[in-house]
Structures are given as structure tokens and as C-alpha cells.
Amino acid sequence: MVRCSFIFGFTFLLIGFLGSAQDSLKTVVAEKGDGILSLLRKNGVSPYEYYDNFIALNIQNLRDSVHLYEGRSYQIPGVIDSIQKIDSIQIASKIVKEIKSETFDIFGEKHKTVVEKSKRLKDNVYYLVSGHGGPDPGAMAVYANTAIAEDEYAYDITLRLAKELLAHGATVYIIIRDEDDGIRDDRILEIDRDEVAYPDKTIPLNQVARLKQRVDIVNGLYREHKGKYQRLIVTHVDSRSVGQNIDVFFYHHEKSKNGKKLAESIHKTFKAKYKKYQPNRTYSGTFEDRTALYLVKKTHPAMTFIEIGNIKNSKDQRRILDPDNRQALAKWIGEGVLLDFEAK
């Protein structure tokens, strides 16, 4: 469970603009290698709080609605160029509030702080399973003459999703875990074999044994939390022919109304995001029953099984390798989870 290691603390965040001091937003020039997340971090703004605001402010100046152009100017939401005239007491009373945060070492040093956004998922339990891990790297491909593996990218997206759900008050179990990886902002994620299954079980080499281990862990926790709202999200990266570009797909158990609703809610969110941020591109991802999949068939919580893309396809690789894209994927899945819960 991700809550096994945390520290309660408080942090101060800027909220809104500075009233009468709302002269102009800070404008910065994107440098080579900058992404939305890194640009916001460099300017002292929480990338996870202001990601959508940044896109809304700069939508006409983004490639594919999510990528920066080197050398172009961008506005930074929540940061004002001139605040010298505002008295420090006024600042404290008008734009600062104290909010709760917790730290989780599994997210790594740079990402370990989770700032509370709401209590919308309070008392809900979510089990997050990233595909493969341990002795099995999953689908493999080559990028920039370097091997890349499915399990590393599925795990990074899963960690990012865990942060999103925790920020809304959920109880989250990260079933496949690597205590020394954390959330990584690199394009090429180093391949290792030290992942374990919750809480610290060695992952078997045999495929059926690996899947059964995950099923047993999830179903055991499900029994412990009997009576609570519980959902399971499994994340994989597909492997198809090099030329096959695919969208994000969602699967569920054919007889699970709640599983279908969860898959449909996340799918609906993705359709809306594509329409908003990539209006000239048709989203072809679907949600459908795939009961034959072992985890879909055997696990007890209502669940969705997500295929993020084709690791061998160059267009899908951009979706998977770009850390900004991985963050966007996690955020959109999280919004779909909120939609699923609140549309009861």
C-alpha cells in the first residue's frame, strides 16, 4: 500500500492571481529540451496543478496541443511579473493558504510530495497494477539505439496515476513496485529487474505464476476492504507491427457493469481531451469486454485493463517516451476515475 511510508506536513501554495496586482503573467522562452512540466518546474509552479491552465493559456502556440516550440514565448499561469507594490501582509492574507500534503518515498525524491487537491475519493480503494516487471520486461523495442521495455513505462505512468488518486484522498495500493525508481522524467527509462509484488514478494519467472500472484494479492486485499468502494486499474503497453499506430484502449469483464462503467468513463475522458487538444485528429481508441485476459477474468474488484500504445511504433513511442505525455496520460486516467465515481 502506498500509504505505508508518509509524513504529514504543510506547504504554502499560491492560489489565484494577485487581485489588483494582476498586471501581467510571467512570460518565458522555451529552451531546447523543455517540456511543459519542466518549464513549469523551472519557474516555481507546480506542474500537476497548473498543467491544464498552461495549455489553455498557450494553446495557439503548442505543437499537437501538448508540445513546446523551442525559442517561442509562453505565459506561466499563477506567476505575476510585478508584485513589488503588494505589502507582504496583504500577500499573506490574499493569495496564500495553508494546505495539507504528505510525502511518499516510492515516488522518488523530486516527486514524493503529494499536495491535497480534494477529498473526492476519500475512503475509496484503488489497486494499480503495471504490466510485467521483475524477470519479465514485457514488450521490447529500440529507440535511439537503446533498448526500451514495457514494464518501465507502464510503471512510470502507474506511479503518476497513483499521485493523482492520492491527491483526491483515495487509498492506493501499488501492486507491482520498485522502491528505487520513483517517477522519472527521462525519455529512456533504464531497464532493471528488481521490481517486487506488494508488499515485497519476489515476482515468479513463470507467466501463469506471475499472473496468479497478482490475482491473489488483489483479491486478498479486496476481502480486507469488503464493503468499501474498490476498483482495479491495470496498465500495459502493447506490442504490434512497427507500422501500426494505435490509440489508448480499455478492456473490462463482459459481466461487470461497474467495470464497463469505469472503462467507459476513462474512454469518455480521453475522447474529450483529444477533441479539445487535438481537434484535427480522430481518436480511435475503444472500450470493450476482454474477459479472456487472466487479470480481467480472475480479479474480484470492478476493473479496467488499459493498453497505452504500441511500443514499436514511432508515433506511439512519442506518447510513451515523453514524460509530459506520460503525465498527461496519468492525469486523464485520473479524471476518468473521478468521473466514474461521481457519475453514480
Side-chain angles (χ1 to χ4, degrees):
M1 181 181 178
V2 86
R3 293 186 180 277
C4 63
S5 175
F6 65 84
I7 302 171
F8 285 98
F10 292 91
T11 187
F12 291 91
L13 293 184
L14 297 181
I15 56 170
F17 299 132
L18 300 186
S20 61
Q22 190 176 345
D23 299 327
S24 61
L25 292 174
K26 182 178 180 180
T27 299
V28 298
V29 176
E31 300 176 349
K32 185 176 181 179
D34 277 340
I36 294 176
L37 298 183
S38 61
L39 191 69
L40 290 173
R41 285 193 199 97
K42 286 197 300 187
N43 287 277
V45 174
S46 168
Y48 310 113
E49 293 291 326
Y50 286 96
Y51 184 88
D52 282 345
N53 291 345
F54 180 91
I55 289 177
L57 279 171
N58 299 283
I59 188 65
Q60 301 302 322
N61 212 16
L62 297 171
R63 177 171 55 83
D64 294 332
S65 302
V66 292
H67 298 290
L68 307 179
Y69 288 100
E70 180 184 350
R72 292 194 184 180
S73 296
Y74 294 92
Q75 289 184 305
I76 304 298
V79 180
I80 305 302
D81 270 334
S82 178
I83 61 171
Q84 292 87 343
K85 296 180 181 179
I86 302 296
D87 182 85
S88 60
I89 297 177
Q90 290 178 306
I91 292 176
S93 63
K94 288 185 178 181
I95 68 167
V96 178
K97 74 172 181 178
E98 193 174 71
I99 64 174
K100 184 178 177 181
S101 69
E102 298 178 38
T103 61
F104 301 86
D105 291 338
I106 196 168
F107 297 135
E109 186 62 30
K110 291 198 312 182
H111 295 273
K112 67 181 182 181
T113 301
V114 177
V115 175
E116 182 182 274
K117 296 178 181 178
S118 77
K119 298 184 184 296
R120 293 162 70 184
L121 299 178
K122 182 176 172 55
D123 296 326
N124 291 7
V125 181
Y126 293 91
Y127 309 104
L128 306 185
V129 178
S130 54
H132 305 277
D136 176 22
M140 301 283 291
V142 175
Y143 175 82
N145 298 317
T146 305
I148 56 175
E150 170 184 2
D151 67 327
E152 303 296 342
Y153 293 92
Y155 182 62
D156 191 74
I157 293 167
T158 295
L159 288 183
R160 294 170 188 271
L161 173 59
K163 280 197 69 172
E164 288 293 318
L165 301 182
L166 285 167
H168 291 289
T171 296
V172 178
Y173 288 88
I174 300 171
I175 303 301
I176 302 303
R177 43 203 301 124
D178 188 330
E179 300 292 344
D180 58 14
D181 272 357
I183 292 172
R184 292 175 281 179
D185 293 326
D186 306 304
R187 293 183 66 83
I188 297 179
L189 301 183
E190 183 179 352
I191 301 171
D192 59 28
R193 300 287 188 271
D194 60 348
E195 294 86 8
V196 297
Y198 176 86
D200 57 1
K201 297 179 180 179
T202 300
I203 298 174
L205 178 61
N206 178 269
Q207 181 184 16
V208 175
R210 284 199 307 272
L211 295 174
K212 185 177 185 303
Q213 180 187 62
R214 294 165 200 213
V215 168
D216 290 344
I217 292 170
V218 170
N219 288 349
L221 291 168
Y222 180 80
R223 288 190 293 271
E224 289 182 17
H225 291 285
K226 184 177 180 180
K228 289 191 175 183
Y229 184 95
Q230 304 183 59
R231 295 292 185 266
L232 165 63
I233 300 172
V234 179
T235 306
H236 276 256
V237 181
D238 209 347
S239 177
R240 305 190 184 189
S241 64
V242 172
Q244 189 171 3
N245 172 221
I246 64 173
D247 274 319
V248 182
F249 287 79
F250 308 91
Y251 303 131
H252 60 86
H253 194 290
E254 62 182 344
K255 295 182 179 179
S256 173
K257 291 182 179 179
N258 288 331
K260 179 181 179 181
K261 178 172 167 288
L262 174 62
E264 184 175 12
S265 295
I266 304 175
H267 176 262
K268 182 178 180 180
T269 300
F270 269 67
K271 283 187 69 175
K273 295 296 184 180
Y274 270 76
K275 185 176 181 179
K276 178 179 180 180
Y277 297 128
Q278 300 189 46
N280 297 320
R281 184 186 183 288
T282 301
Y283 174 65
S284 62
T286 61
F287 72 96
E288 57 190 88
D289 66 86
R290 191 63 68 88
T291 308
L293 293 171
Y294 194 98
L295 287 179
V296 176
K297 183 177 183 179
K298 300 287 187 179
T299 49
H300 296 333
M303 64 92 71
T304 186
F305 186 110
I306 305 175
E307 290 281 10
I308 296 297
N310 176 11
I311 197 170
K312 293 183 179 179
N313 180 268
S314 59
K315 291 183 179 179
D316 285 6
Q317 283 180 346
R318 288 198 293 271
R319 179 189 312 149
I320 299 163
L321 270 63
D322 189 319
D324 286 350
N325 287 345
R326 296 198 298 271
Q327 179 60 31
L329 287 167
K331 193 173 190 305
W332 295 357
I333 295 170
E335 289 183 22
V337 168
L338 286 164
L339 176 65
D340 167 66
F341 175 64
E342 295 178 341
K344 293 186 295 185

